[in-house]
Amino acid sequence: MGTAHIWVDADSFPAPARLQILKEAAARRLPVTYAANRDIPFGMEDELFSMEICGGGNGAADDYIVSHCTAGDIVATRDIPLARRLLDKKITVINDRGTQFSETNIAELLEQRELSMQMAALGIRPGGRKNTYGNKELAAFTECLKRVLSGI
C-alpha cells in the first residue's frame, strides 16, 4: 500500500478511536506513532507502532508531530490549532468525530473554539452539548479514517 505514516496526538484522543487506527494501520502495514506527554497503551502490539513521550510541557507533543510529519502522512488530533499548523504543511488531518480538517472548515472551527473559550472564561456553559464518545462517534471516525486511507 502507501508509505504514509499515521501520527496520533494521543493525550486526549479517545481509546476506541486509537484502537481503530491501529487495526486499520495493521491491515495496511502502515506505521503509527503516538505522541503524548505520558505513556499511552496501544491495546495491540505491532513492530510498526511506536510511542513518543514528549517532555517539555504544554504543546510538546504538538511540536513533535509538526516537526516529524511529512507530505502524505495522516495526523489524528482533537486539537484545532494543531490542525491549522498541519494544514499549513499540507498534511491530512482528521479528528475523533469523523471530520477531516480543510482550508474550508478550519477557520470556522477556530472561531467556534475561541467563542467557547471566551464563554467558559465567563462561566457560561452552553447546554445540551454532551461530551461523550460512543458508537455513533466511533462509526463516523472509522468511516472518515477509511476514506482517508483509501486515498493513499
Side-chain angles (χ1 to χ4, degrees):
M1 235 33 246
T3 58
H5 191 119
I6 301 173
W7 302 88
V8 182
D9 182 12
D11 280 315
S12 67
F13 216 76
R18 291 193 317 259
L19 184 57
Q20 189 63 41
I21 289 169
L22 298 178
K23 289 177 183 177
E24 297 296 330
R28 292 168 173 80
R29 303 306 302 151
L30 297 173
V32 175
T33 300
Y34 285 2
N37 294 330
R38 60 187 169 84
D39 190 32
I40 305 285
F42 284 109
M44 64 185 287
E45 294 301 318
D46 191 298
E47 68 275 4
L48 292 173
F49 304 159
S50 62
M51 176 73 225
E52 186 63 39
I53 299 174
C54 306
N58 195 22
D62 298 359
D63 293 341
Y64 181 86
I65 291 170
V66 170
S67 67
H68 286 82
C69 66
T70 59
D73 288 352
I74 298 162
V75 176
T77 184
R78 300 175 73 193
D79 185 322
I80 298 168
L82 173 59
R84 167 77 275 164
R85 292 172 65 191
L86 294 163
L87 286 175
D88 289 343
K89 285 187 69 170
K90 308 296 186 222
I91 303 295
T92 299
V93 189
I94 61 176
N95 74 6
D96 63 318
R97 307 270 170 171
T99 298
Q100 182 174 349
F101 293 102
S102 68
E103 292 300 329
T104 306
N105 67 13
I106 194 71
E108 181 180 343
L109 292 167
L110 283 166
E111 287 174 14
Q112 289 172 356
R113 177 184 179 272
E114 180 64 26
L115 179 60
S116 292
M117 289 174 65
Q118 289 175 5
M119 290 174 66
L122 295 171
I124 301 169
R125 303 275 182 220
R129 188 172 170 204
K130 294 181 181 170
N131 197 16
T132 59
Y133 196 83
N135 292 334
K136 178 181 172 185
E137 292 80 11
L138 181 60
F141 171 75
T142 300
E143 181 181 323
C144 178
L145 177 63
K146 287 182 177 185
R147 184 177 65 251
V148 166
L149 289 173
S150 71
I152 61 171

